[in-house]
Amino acid sequence: MTDVDNLFDLSGRVAVVTGARRGIGLAIAEALASAGADIIAVSAGLEPSGSEVEKRVRALGRSFQGHRVDFADRAAVAAFATELAGTPVDVLVNNAGTIRRAPAAEHSDEDFDHVLTVDLSSQFVLSREIGRGMLERGRGKIIFTASLLSYQGGITVPGYAAAKSGIAGLTRALANEWAGRGVNVNAIVPGYIATDNTQALRDDPTRGPAILERIPAGRWGRPEDFAGVAVFLASAASDYVHGALVPVDGGWLGR
């Protein structure tokens, strides 16, 4: 008989969570720590000490490391991966991201390139480098943060839509290569979540109510809504799940 409790136990595992300073990343880091994982948190603006994520992880009795890395700088991301070379990473959560809003006809090259670097290219660099160690050990879990715009085009966010569509393809591409070598690669697909990234939408007197009306669950998502799916994808419970994009969207894609 399967021991269900052990399926979700992350004791002794090391998890790297990018974009962990706030929002979804913070909630995922806390959830993985609650399941037993030690946390290496990464964010462009992470405080050297005393961050909220550090407080929550340490309160759960898990070890914590914090790193400040600019995901707009691929060389910095590669250097961070090299720094981790001696640490066996069991779980990598690629959650760092950014968004720039402007109509497509006015969307600058700088904004487009910046979003693609942060949301896609740097995610690949980190996954490639950490994934190499996972392949050598024959096990590991990589979790991307995709988006509803991995399926849809959005409005006034062409760079973000392109990057998140790329994340969907990258998830499947890595899964195709690595599933048979013990490494699971999957993605979480957030819907409309009440975080800093969606503040402008929630404040918009037209789009805010229109979005809310379309969500079958009747509310915007919250960062804590990602705790369960993150632990599932990081644990033995998902050992036969590869290349999946798991929506956490209040039913948006089903409507």
Side-chain angles (χ1 to χ4, degrees), residues 14-18 40 42 67 71 77-94 122-144 174 178 183 185:
V14 174
V16 173
V17 183
T18 73
I40 299 173
V42 191
H67 296 263
F71 279 77
V77 174
F80 169 66
T82 299
E83 187 177 346
L84 289 180
T87 302
V89 175
D90 301 290
V91 180
L92 168 61
V93 180
N94 285 304
S122 288
Q123 313 296 326
F124 171 67
V125 170
L126 192 58
S127 299
R128 180 189 64 204
E129 298 304 308
I130 291 180
R132 190 178 293 123
M134 291 177 173
L135 292 170
E136 291 172 356
R137 294 188 298 276
R139 68 181 179 90
K141 305 278 187 173
I142 296 177
I143 305 166
F144 287 98
L174 296 183
W178 296 352
V183 178
V185 185

mmCIF file of all heavy atoms in Angstrom, residues 14-18 40 42 67 71 77-94 122-144 174 178 183 185:
data_model
loop_
_atom_site.group_PDB
_atom_site.id
_atom_site.type_symbol
_atom_site.label_atom_id
_atom_site.label_comp_id
_atom_site.label_asym_id
_atom_site.label_seq_id
_atom_site.Cartn_x
_atom_site.Cartn_y
_atom_site.Cartn_z
ATOM 1 N N VAL A 14 16.691 19.877 -0.961
ATOM 2 C CA VAL A 14 17.094 21.268 -1.116
ATOM 3 C C VAL A 14 16.337 21.854 -2.297
ATOM 4 O O VAL A 14 16.381 21.307 -3.406
ATOM 5 C CB VAL A 14 18.610 21.395 -1.351
ATOM 6 C CG1 VAL A 14 18.984 22.848 -1.649
ATOM 7 C CG2 VAL A 14 19.389 20.876 -0.143
ATOM 8 N N ALA A 15 15.639 22.960 -2.063
ATOM 9 C CA ALA A 15 14.839 23.591 -3.110
ATOM 10 C C ALA A 15 15.323 25.005 -3.371
ATOM 11 O O ALA A 15 15.465 25.809 -2.443
ATOM 12 C CB ALA A 15 13.364 23.625 -2.709
ATOM 13 N N VAL A 16 15.590 25.310 -4.632
ATOM 14 C CA VAL A 16 15.891 26.666 -5.064
ATOM 15 C C VAL A 16 14.602 27.290 -5.585
ATOM 16 O O VAL A 16 13.949 26.723 -6.472
ATOM 17 C CB VAL A 16 16.964 26.673 -6.177
ATOM 18 C CG1 VAL A 16 17.141 28.084 -6.740
ATOM 19 C CG2 VAL A 16 18.290 26.142 -5.646
ATOM 20 N N VAL A 17 14.235 28.431 -5.035
ATOM 21 C CA VAL A 17 13.018 29.124 -5.464
ATOM 22 C C VAL A 17 13.390 30.528 -5.915
ATOM 23 O O VAL A 17 13.860 31.335 -5.110
ATOM 24 C CB VAL A 17 11.965 29.190 -4.340
ATOM 25 C CG1 VAL A 17 10.693 29.859 -4.850
ATOM 26 C CG2 VAL A 17 11.668 27.805 -3.786
ATOM 27 N N THR A 18 13.211 30.816 -7.195
ATOM 28 C CA THR A 18 13.514 32.158 -7.686
ATOM 29 C C THR A 18 12.271 33.032 -7.593
ATOM 30 O O THR A 18 11.148 32.545 -7.567
ATOM 31 C CB THR A 18 14.030 32.116 -9.141
ATOM 32 O OG1 THR A 18 12.952 31.826 -10.032
ATOM 33 C CG2 THR A 18 15.128 31.066 -9.300
ATOM 34 N N ILE A 40 16.743 27.638 -0.709
ATOM 35 C CA ILE A 40 17.658 28.641 -1.255
ATOM 36 C C ILE A 40 16.791 29.609 -2.038
ATOM 37 O O ILE A 40 16.251 29.267 -3.096
ATOM 38 C CB ILE A 40 18.727 28.005 -2.164
ATOM 39 C CG1 ILE A 40 19.582 27.017 -1.365
ATOM 40 C CG2 ILE A 40 19.606 29.089 -2.785
ATOM 41 C CD1 ILE A 40 20.560 26.219 -2.219
ATOM 42 N N VAL A 42 15.979 33.132 -4.082
ATOM 43 C CA VAL A 42 16.675 34.002 -5.024
ATOM 44 C C VAL A 42 15.709 35.074 -5.511
ATOM 45 O O VAL A 42 14.563 34.778 -5.840
ATOM 46 C CB VAL A 42 17.183 33.208 -6.253
ATOM 47 C CG1 VAL A 42 18.139 34.064 -7.075
ATOM 48 C CG2 VAL A 42 17.838 31.909 -5.829
ATOM 49 N N HIS A 67 19.912 34.782 -1.868
ATOM 50 C CA HIS A 67 20.818 35.293 -2.894
ATOM 51 C C HIS A 67 20.123 36.384 -3.689
ATOM 52 O O HIS A 67 18.958 36.230 -4.069
ATOM 53 C CB HIS A 67 21.243 34.176 -3.853
ATOM 54 C CG HIS A 67 22.040 33.091 -3.198
ATOM 55 N ND1 HIS A 67 23.422 33.059 -3.226
ATOM 56 C CD2 HIS A 67 21.645 31.998 -2.505
ATOM 57 C CE1 HIS A 67 23.846 31.984 -2.578
ATOM 58 N NE2 HIS A 67 22.792 31.326 -2.134
ATOM 59 N N PHE A 71 17.917 38.742 -12.825
ATOM 60 C CA PHE A 71 17.612 37.827 -13.914
ATOM 61 C C PHE A 71 17.596 38.519 -15.277
ATOM 62 O O PHE A 71 17.438 37.851 -16.301
ATOM 63 C CB PHE A 71 16.292 37.100 -13.635
ATOM 64 C CG PHE A 71 16.463 35.945 -12.709
ATOM 65 C CD1 PHE A 71 16.617 36.151 -11.342
ATOM 66 C CD2 PHE A 71 16.515 34.655 -13.194
ATOM 67 C CE1 PHE A 71 16.810 35.085 -10.475
ATOM 68 C CE2 PHE A 71 16.714 33.577 -12.340
ATOM 69 C CZ PHE A 71 16.860 33.791 -10.984
ATOM 70 N N VAL A 77 23.149 35.190 -13.756
ATOM 71 C CA VAL A 77 22.416 33.945 -13.517
ATOM 72 C C VAL A 77 23.350 32.748 -13.654
ATOM 73 O O VAL A 77 23.334 31.822 -12.831
ATOM 74 C CB VAL A 77 21.228 33.825 -14.488
ATOM 75 C CG1 VAL A 77 20.540 32.467 -14.341
ATOM 76 C CG2 VAL A 77 20.222 34.949 -14.230
ATOM 77 N N ALA A 78 24.198 32.765 -14.680
ATOM 78 C CA ALA A 78 25.157 31.676 -14.870
ATOM 79 C C ALA A 78 26.141 31.614 -13.708
ATOM 80 O O ALA A 78 26.512 30.528 -13.245
ATOM 81 C CB ALA A 78 25.898 31.857 -16.197
ATOM 82 N N ALA A 79 26.575 32.792 -13.226
ATOM 83 C CA ALA A 79 27.506 32.831 -12.091
ATOM 84 C C ALA A 79 26.850 32.266 -10.837
ATOM 85 O O ALA A 79 27.495 31.549 -10.051
ATOM 86 C CB ALA A 79 27.972 34.265 -11.854
ATOM 87 N N PHE A 80 25.582 32.567 -10.634
ATOM 88 C CA PHE A 80 24.851 32.006 -9.494
ATOM 89 C C PHE A 80 24.777 30.488 -9.595
ATOM 90 O O PHE A 80 24.986 29.781 -8.611
ATOM 91 C CB PHE A 80 23.454 32.609 -9.422
ATOM 92 C CG PHE A 80 22.533 31.917 -8.465
ATOM 93 C CD1 PHE A 80 22.773 31.940 -7.101
ATOM 94 C CD2 PHE A 80 21.418 31.231 -8.932
ATOM 95 C CE1 PHE A 80 21.923 31.290 -6.209
ATOM 96 C CE2 PHE A 80 20.567 30.585 -8.050
ATOM 97 C CZ PHE A 80 20.825 30.607 -6.690
ATOM 98 N N ALA A 81 24.511 29.978 -10.788
ATOM 99 C CA ALA A 81 24.455 28.526 -10.984
ATOM 100 C C ALA A 81 25.801 27.890 -10.673
ATOM 101 O O ALA A 81 25.875 26.820 -10.048
ATOM 102 C CB ALA A 81 24.030 28.207 -12.413
ATOM 103 N N THR A 82 26.882 28.546 -11.071
ATOM 104 C CA THR A 82 28.225 28.034 -10.762
ATOM 105 C C THR A 82 28.467 28.013 -9.263
ATOM 106 O O THR A 82 29.064 27.071 -8.724
ATOM 107 C CB THR A 82 29.292 28.911 -11.458
ATOM 108 O OG1 THR A 82 29.096 28.858 -12.869
ATOM 109 C CG2 THR A 82 30.687 28.432 -11.119
ATOM 110 N N GLU A 83 27.990 29.039 -8.591
ATOM 111 C CA GLU A 83 28.127 29.111 -7.132
ATOM 112 C C GLU A 83 27.417 27.947 -6.445
ATOM 113 O O GLU A 83 27.849 27.476 -5.396
ATOM 114 C CB GLU A 83 27.544 30.443 -6.651
ATOM 115 C CG GLU A 83 27.767 30.740 -5.173
ATOM 116 C CD GLU A 83 27.227 32.105 -4.779
ATOM 117 O OE1 GLU A 83 26.927 32.915 -5.678
ATOM 118 O OE2 GLU A 83 27.105 32.353 -3.560
ATOM 119 N N LEU A 84 26.351 27.455 -7.070
ATOM 120 C CA LEU A 84 25.593 26.348 -6.498
ATOM 121 C C LEU A 84 26.124 24.978 -6.918
ATOM 122 O O LEU A 84 25.559 23.956 -6.525
ATOM 123 C CB LEU A 84 24.123 26.441 -6.928
ATOM 124 C CG LEU A 84 23.273 27.550 -6.326
ATOM 125 C CD1 LEU A 84 21.851 27.456 -6.876
ATOM 126 C CD2 LEU A 84 23.257 27.479 -4.808
ATOM 127 N N ALA A 85 27.193 24.960 -7.703
ATOM 128 C CA ALA A 85 27.668 23.707 -8.287
ATOM 129 C C ALA A 85 27.947 22.628 -7.239
ATOM 130 O O ALA A 85 27.756 21.438 -7.491
ATOM 131 C CB ALA A 85 28.911 23.955 -9.130
ATOM 132 N N GLY A 86 28.364 23.026 -6.057
ATOM 133 C CA GLY A 86 28.675 22.048 -5.018
ATOM 134 C C GLY A 86 27.487 21.666 -4.160
ATOM 135 O O GLY A 86 27.626 20.856 -3.235
ATOM 136 N N THR A 87 26.327 22.228 -4.455
ATOM 137 C CA THR A 87 25.120 21.942 -3.675
ATOM 138 C C THR A 87 24.163 21.081 -4.494
ATOM 139 O O THR A 87 23.675 21.528 -5.530
ATOM 140 C CB THR A 87 24.397 23.245 -3.290
ATOM 141 O OG1 THR A 87 25.276 24.082 -2.539
ATOM 142 C CG2 THR A 87 23.154 22.953 -2.460
ATOM 143 N N PRO A 88 23.902 19.846 -4.057
ATOM 144 C CA PRO A 88 22.927 19.026 -4.797
ATOM 145 C C PRO A 88 21.516 19.613 -4.656
ATOM 146 O O PRO A 88 20.917 19.562 -3.588
ATOM 147 C CB PRO A 88 23.020 17.655 -4.113
ATOM 148 C CG PRO A 88 24.305 17.671 -3.352
ATOM 149 C CD PRO A 88 24.507 19.107 -2.945
ATOM 150 N N VAL A 89 21.003 20.175 -5.723
ATOM 151 C CA VAL A 89 19.674 20.780 -5.712
ATOM 152 C C VAL A 89 18.660 19.736 -6.155
ATOM 153 O O VAL A 89 18.786 19.145 -7.223
ATOM 154 C CB VAL A 89 19.617 22.008 -6.639
ATOM 155 C CG1 VAL A 89 18.186 22.552 -6.722
ATOM 156 C CG2 VAL A 89 20.577 23.092 -6.148
ATOM 157 N N ASP A 90 17.665 19.500 -5.318
ATOM 158 C CA ASP A 90 16.636 18.512 -5.617
ATOM 159 C C ASP A 90 15.455 19.104 -6.361
ATOM 160 O O ASP A 90 14.804 18.419 -7.162
ATOM 161 C CB ASP A 90 16.127 17.882 -4.314
ATOM 162 C CG ASP A 90 17.235 17.201 -3.532
ATOM 163 O OD1 ASP A 90 17.725 16.162 -3.987
ATOM 164 O OD2 ASP A 90 17.615 17.737 -2.463
ATOM 165 N N VAL A 91 15.156 20.377 -6.068
ATOM 166 C CA VAL A 91 13.984 21.041 -6.644
ATOM 167 C C VAL A 91 14.385 22.436 -7.107
ATOM 168 O O VAL A 91 15.022 23.180 -6.361
ATOM 169 C CB VAL A 91 12.840 21.166 -5.609
ATOM 170 C CG1 VAL A 91 11.628 21.865 -6.220
ATOM 171 C CG2 VAL A 91 12.464 19.815 -5.031
ATOM 172 N N LEU A 92 14.026 22.771 -8.328
ATOM 173 C CA LEU A 92 14.230 24.126 -8.841
ATOM 174 C C LEU A 92 12.881 24.693 -9.245
ATOM 175 O O LEU A 92 12.200 24.135 -10.105
ATOM 176 C CB LEU A 92 15.166 24.118 -10.051
ATOM 177 C CG LEU A 92 15.243 25.432 -10.848
ATOM 178 C CD1 LEU A 92 15.759 26.578 -9.979
ATOM 179 C CD2 LEU A 92 16.112 25.252 -12.093
ATOM 180 N N VAL A 93 12.497 25.800 -8.617
ATOM 181 C CA VAL A 93 11.255 26.490 -8.968
ATOM 182 C C VAL A 93 11.625 27.778 -9.696
ATOM 183 O O VAL A 93 12.162 28.712 -9.101
ATOM 184 C CB VAL A 93 10.406 26.811 -7.725
ATOM 185 C CG1 VAL A 93 9.121 27.529 -8.141
ATOM 186 C CG2 VAL A 93 10.079 25.544 -6.949
ATOM 187 N N ASN A 94 11.365 27.804 -10.997
ATOM 188 C CA ASN A 94 11.671 28.964 -11.832
ATOM 189 C C ASN A 94 10.492 29.931 -11.809
ATOM 190 O O ASN A 94 9.622 29.891 -12.683
ATOM 191 C CB ASN A 94 11.927 28.506 -13.268
ATOM 192 C CG ASN A 94 13.272 27.856 -13.454
ATOM 193 O OD1 ASN A 94 14.304 28.446 -13.151
ATOM 194 N ND2 ASN A 94 13.271 26.620 -13.923
ATOM 195 N N SER A 122 16.821 33.550 -19.103
ATOM 196 C CA SER A 122 17.496 33.248 -17.842
ATOM 197 C C SER A 122 16.928 31.996 -17.180
ATOM 198 O O SER A 122 17.651 31.264 -16.493
ATOM 199 C CB SER A 122 17.397 34.441 -16.888
ATOM 200 O OG SER A 122 18.225 35.498 -17.338
ATOM 201 N N GLN A 123 15.646 31.730 -17.407
ATOM 202 C CA GLN A 123 15.045 30.504 -16.873
ATOM 203 C C GLN A 123 15.700 29.277 -17.505
ATOM 204 O O GLN A 123 15.944 28.268 -16.836
ATOM 205 C CB GLN A 123 13.541 30.475 -17.163
ATOM 206 C CG GLN A 123 12.782 31.741 -16.844
ATOM 207 C CD GLN A 123 12.767 32.096 -15.375
ATOM 208 O OE1 GLN A 123 12.746 31.217 -14.525
ATOM 209 N NE2 GLN A 123 12.786 33.369 -15.071
ATOM 210 N N PHE A 124 15.973 29.364 -18.805
ATOM 211 C CA PHE A 124 16.645 28.263 -19.482
ATOM 212 C C PHE A 124 18.068 28.087 -18.972
ATOM 213 O O PHE A 124 18.512 26.964 -18.704
ATOM 214 C CB PHE A 124 16.671 28.483 -20.996
ATOM 215 C CG PHE A 124 17.549 27.486 -21.708
ATOM 216 C CD1 PHE A 124 17.201 26.138 -21.751
ATOM 217 C CD2 PHE A 124 18.737 27.889 -22.299
ATOM 218 C CE1 PHE A 124 18.016 25.211 -22.378
ATOM 219 C CE2 PHE A 124 19.556 26.965 -22.927
ATOM 220 C CZ PHE A 124 19.206 25.618 -22.971
ATOM 221 N N VAL A 125 18.800 29.186 -18.828
ATOM 222 C CA VAL A 125 20.186 29.105 -18.355
ATOM 223 C C VAL A 125 20.252 28.404 -17.004
ATOM 224 O O VAL A 125 21.051 27.480 -16.794
ATOM 225 C CB VAL A 125 20.812 30.515 -18.272
ATOM 226 C CG1 VAL A 125 22.150 30.459 -17.547
ATOM 227 C CG2 VAL A 125 20.990 31.104 -19.666
ATOM 228 N N LEU A 126 19.399 28.830 -16.067
ATOM 229 C CA LEU A 126 19.430 28.244 -14.735
ATOM 230 C C LEU A 126 18.993 26.782 -14.760
ATOM 231 O O LEU A 126 19.588 25.927 -14.090
ATOM 232 C CB LEU A 126 18.532 29.047 -13.793
ATOM 233 C CG LEU A 126 18.661 28.738 -12.306
ATOM 234 C CD1 LEU A 126 20.093 28.937 -11.817
ATOM 235 C CD2 LEU A 126 17.709 29.602 -11.486
ATOM 236 N N SER A 127 17.983 26.476 -15.544
ATOM 237 C CA SER A 127 17.507 25.087 -15.639
ATOM 238 C C SER A 127 18.563 24.189 -16.260
ATOM 239 O O SER A 127 18.760 23.045 -15.828
ATOM 240 C CB SER A 127 16.220 25.024 -16.470
ATOM 241 O OG SER A 127 15.202 25.785 -15.867
ATOM 242 N N ARG A 128 19.238 24.682 -17.281
ATOM 243 C CA ARG A 128 20.292 23.895 -17.925
ATOM 244 C C ARG A 128 21.409 23.579 -16.946
ATOM 245 O O ARG A 128 21.859 22.429 -16.836
ATOM 246 C CB ARG A 128 20.861 24.668 -19.118
ATOM 247 C CG ARG A 128 21.983 23.942 -19.865
ATOM 248 C CD ARG A 128 22.616 24.869 -20.881
ATOM 249 N NE ARG A 128 23.266 26.007 -20.220
ATOM 250 C CZ ARG A 128 23.494 27.183 -20.814
ATOM 251 N NH1 ARG A 128 23.099 27.384 -22.068
ATOM 252 N NH2 ARG A 128 24.100 28.151 -20.161
ATOM 253 N N GLU A 129 21.854 24.583 -16.203
ATOM 254 C CA GLU A 129 22.997 24.392 -15.317
ATOM 255 C C GLU A 129 22.648 23.518 -14.114
ATOM 256 O O GLU A 129 23.384 22.597 -13.766
ATOM 257 C CB GLU A 129 23.538 25.751 -14.853
ATOM 258 C CG GLU A 129 24.040 26.631 -15.992
ATOM 259 C CD GLU A 129 25.104 25.932 -16.828
ATOM 260 O OE1 GLU A 129 26.085 25.434 -16.250
ATOM 261 O OE2 GLU A 129 24.945 25.881 -18.065
ATOM 262 N N ILE A 130 21.517 23.807 -13.461
ATOM 263 C CA ILE A 130 21.108 22.992 -12.316
ATOM 264 C C ILE A 130 20.622 21.627 -12.786
ATOM 265 O O ILE A 130 20.860 20.602 -12.151
ATOM 266 C CB ILE A 130 20.047 23.728 -11.483
ATOM 267 C CG1 ILE A 130 20.689 24.937 -10.791
ATOM 268 C CG2 ILE A 130 19.398 22.802 -10.464
ATOM 269 C CD1 ILE A 130 19.738 25.746 -9.938
ATOM 270 N N GLY A 131 19.947 21.607 -13.931
ATOM 271 C CA GLY A 131 19.460 20.346 -14.478
ATOM 272 C C GLY A 131 20.577 19.378 -14.784
ATOM 273 O O GLY A 131 20.412 18.151 -14.661
ATOM 274 N N ARG A 132 21.730 19.868 -15.181
ATOM 275 C CA ARG A 132 22.870 18.996 -15.472
ATOM 276 C C ARG A 132 23.237 18.158 -14.245
ATOM 277 O O ARG A 132 23.495 16.956 -14.356
ATOM 278 C CB ARG A 132 24.054 19.839 -15.936
ATOM 279 C CG ARG A 132 25.204 19.029 -16.497
ATOM 280 C CD ARG A 132 26.311 19.930 -16.985
ATOM 281 N NE ARG A 132 25.900 20.698 -18.146
ATOM 282 C CZ ARG A 132 25.929 22.034 -18.221
ATOM 283 N NH1 ARG A 132 26.321 22.734 -17.171
ATOM 284 N NH2 ARG A 132 25.548 22.652 -19.316
ATOM 285 N N GLY A 133 23.241 18.791 -13.085
ATOM 286 C CA GLY A 133 23.541 18.053 -11.856
ATOM 287 C C GLY A 133 22.450 17.051 -11.529
ATOM 288 O O GLY A 133 22.736 15.945 -11.047
ATOM 289 N N MET A 134 21.201 17.423 -11.770
ATOM 290 C CA MET A 134 20.098 16.487 -11.534
ATOM 291 C C MET A 134 20.237 15.254 -12.419
ATOM 292 O O MET A 134 20.023 14.119 -11.980
ATOM 293 C CB MET A 134 18.761 17.184 -11.799
ATOM 294 C CG MET A 134 18.393 18.263 -10.802
ATOM 295 S SD MET A 134 16.822 19.068 -11.267
ATOM 296 C CE MET A 134 16.540 20.121 -9.830
ATOM 297 N N LEU A 135 20.611 15.465 -13.668
ATOM 298 C CA LEU A 135 20.780 14.343 -14.591
ATOM 299 C C LEU A 135 21.900 13.415 -14.139
ATOM 300 O O LEU A 135 21.794 12.188 -14.242
ATOM 301 C CB LEU A 135 21.063 14.872 -16.001
ATOM 302 C CG LEU A 135 19.908 15.609 -16.683
ATOM 303 C CD1 LEU A 135 20.399 16.296 -17.957
ATOM 304 C CD2 LEU A 135 18.759 14.661 -17.003
ATOM 305 N N GLU A 136 22.958 13.997 -13.627
ATOM 306 C CA GLU A 136 24.074 13.180 -13.135
ATOM 307 C C GLU A 136 23.653 12.318 -11.952
ATOM 308 O O GLU A 136 24.100 11.166 -11.826
ATOM 309 C CB GLU A 136 25.242 14.086 -12.741
ATOM 310 C CG GLU A 136 25.923 14.761 -13.922
ATOM 311 C CD GLU A 136 26.938 15.797 -13.497
ATOM 312 O OE1 GLU A 136 27.069 16.053 -12.272
ATOM 313 O OE2 GLU A 136 27.603 16.374 -14.385
ATOM 314 N N ARG A 137 22.776 12.868 -11.097
ATOM 315 C CA ARG A 137 22.316 12.117 -9.923
ATOM 316 C C ARG A 137 21.123 11.216 -10.236
ATOM 317 O O ARG A 137 20.745 10.376 -9.420
ATOM 318 C CB ARG A 137 21.948 13.094 -8.800
ATOM 319 C CG ARG A 137 23.139 13.873 -8.255
ATOM 320 C CD ARG A 137 22.767 14.670 -7.019
ATOM 321 N NE ARG A 137 21.736 15.670 -7.284
ATOM 322 C CZ ARG A 137 21.970 16.891 -7.764
ATOM 323 N NH1 ARG A 137 23.218 17.251 -8.049
ATOM 324 N NH2 ARG A 137 20.995 17.740 -7.965
ATOM 325 N N GLY A 138 20.493 11.439 -11.381
ATOM 326 C CA GLY A 138 19.368 10.605 -11.787
ATOM 327 C C GLY A 138 18.055 10.950 -11.134
ATOM 328 O O GLY A 138 17.109 10.153 -11.172
ATOM 329 N N ARG A 139 17.939 12.178 -10.589
ATOM 330 C CA ARG A 139 16.652 12.589 -10.028
ATOM 331 C C ARG A 139 16.616 14.103 -9.834
ATOM 332 O O ARG A 139 17.655 14.741 -9.638
ATOM 333 C CB ARG A 139 16.357 11.899 -8.702
ATOM 334 C CG ARG A 139 17.246 12.290 -7.540
ATOM 335 C CD ARG A 139 16.861 11.510 -6.291
ATOM 336 N NE ARG A 139 17.707 11.836 -5.148
ATOM 337 C CZ ARG A 139 17.457 12.796 -4.277
ATOM 338 N NH1 ARG A 139 16.373 13.534 -4.431
ATOM 339 N NH2 ARG A 139 18.274 13.014 -3.265
ATOM 340 N N GLY A 140 15.411 14.660 -9.885
ATOM 341 C CA GLY A 140 15.248 16.088 -9.663
ATOM 342 C C GLY A 140 13.888 16.546 -10.143
ATOM 343 O O GLY A 140 13.195 15.851 -10.906
ATOM 344 N N LYS A 141 13.493 17.708 -9.675
ATOM 345 C CA LYS A 141 12.201 18.300 -10.040
ATOM 346 C C LYS A 141 12.428 19.747 -10.463
ATOM 347 O O LYS A 141 13.018 20.535 -9.714
ATOM 348 C CB LYS A 141 11.228 18.281 -8.850
ATOM 349 C CG LYS A 141 11.006 16.904 -8.219
ATOM 350 C CD LYS A 141 9.998 16.093 -8.993
ATOM 351 C CE LYS A 141 9.660 14.796 -8.265
ATOM 352 N NZ LYS A 141 8.563 14.062 -8.899
ATOM 353 N N ILE A 142 11.969 20.088 -11.651
ATOM 354 C CA ILE A 142 12.031 21.461 -12.133
ATOM 355 C C ILE A 142 10.599 21.934 -12.387
ATOM 356 O O ILE A 142 9.825 21.263 -13.077
ATOM 357 C CB ILE A 142 12.868 21.578 -13.411
ATOM 358 C CG1 ILE A 142 14.328 21.190 -13.119
ATOM 359 C CG2 ILE A 142 12.793 22.997 -13.982
ATOM 360 C CD1 ILE A 142 15.233 21.211 -14.336
ATOM 361 N N ILE A 143 10.272 23.073 -11.805
ATOM 362 C CA ILE A 143 8.915 23.622 -11.905
ATOM 363 C C ILE A 143 9.012 25.046 -12.439
ATOM 364 O O ILE A 143 9.640 25.906 -11.818
ATOM 365 C CB ILE A 143 8.224 23.633 -10.522
ATOM 366 C CG1 ILE A 143 8.229 22.240 -9.897
ATOM 367 C CG2 ILE A 143 6.807 24.175 -10.645
ATOM 368 C CD1 ILE A 143 7.887 22.237 -8.413
ATOM 369 N N PHE A 144 8.407 25.287 -13.573
ATOM 370 C CA PHE A 144 8.338 26.631 -14.133
ATOM 371 C C PHE A 144 7.035 27.300 -13.708
ATOM 372 O O PHE A 144 6.044 26.632 -13.414
ATOM 373 C CB PHE A 144 8.375 26.581 -15.668
ATOM 374 C CG PHE A 144 9.717 26.241 -16.240
ATOM 375 C CD1 PHE A 144 10.006 24.936 -16.637
ATOM 376 C CD2 PHE A 144 10.687 27.211 -16.398
ATOM 377 C CE1 PHE A 144 11.238 24.608 -17.169
ATOM 378 C CE2 PHE A 144 11.930 26.891 -16.927
ATOM 379 C CZ PHE A 144 12.205 25.591 -17.322
ATOM 380 N N LEU A 174 12.192 20.206 -22.373
ATOM 381 C CA LEU A 174 13.065 19.617 -21.359
ATOM 382 C C LEU A 174 12.495 18.301 -20.849
ATOM 383 O O LEU A 174 13.241 17.343 -20.604
ATOM 384 C CB LEU A 174 13.265 20.598 -20.207
ATOM 385 C CG LEU A 174 13.987 21.907 -20.544
ATOM 386 C CD1 LEU A 174 14.168 22.748 -19.276
ATOM 387 C CD2 LEU A 174 15.335 21.653 -21.200
ATOM 388 N N TRP A 178 14.430 14.766 -20.600
ATOM 389 C CA TRP A 178 14.891 14.401 -19.265
ATOM 390 C C TRP A 178 13.989 13.448 -18.495
ATOM 391 O O TRP A 178 14.404 12.890 -17.476
ATOM 392 C CB TRP A 178 15.115 15.667 -18.430
ATOM 393 C CG TRP A 178 16.212 16.544 -18.983
ATOM 394 C CD1 TRP A 178 17.072 16.242 -19.997
ATOM 395 C CD2 TRP A 178 16.557 17.865 -18.546
ATOM 396 N NE1 TRP A 178 17.935 17.288 -20.225
ATOM 397 C CE2 TRP A 178 17.651 18.297 -19.359
ATOM 398 C CE3 TRP A 178 16.059 18.722 -17.563
ATOM 399 C CZ2 TRP A 178 18.245 19.556 -19.188
ATOM 400 C CZ3 TRP A 178 16.650 19.967 -17.406
ATOM 401 C CH2 TRP A 178 17.731 20.379 -18.204
ATOM 402 N N VAL A 183 14.359 13.096 -14.173
ATOM 403 C CA VAL A 183 14.102 14.502 -13.867
ATOM 404 C C VAL A 183 12.725 14.892 -14.398
ATOM 405 O O VAL A 183 12.453 14.765 -15.589
ATOM 406 C CB VAL A 183 15.183 15.417 -14.478
ATOM 407 C CG1 VAL A 183 14.871 16.880 -14.191
ATOM 408 C CG2 VAL A 183 16.565 15.045 -13.932
ATOM 409 N N VAL A 185 10.025 17.687 -15.310
ATOM 410 C CA VAL A 185 9.915 19.102 -15.673
ATOM 411 C C VAL A 185 8.449 19.407 -15.955
ATOM 412 O O VAL A 185 7.852 18.820 -16.860
ATOM 413 C CB VAL A 185 10.770 19.455 -16.897
ATOM 414 C CG1 VAL A 185 10.717 20.958 -17.151
ATOM 415 C CG2 VAL A 185 12.215 18.995 -16.707
#
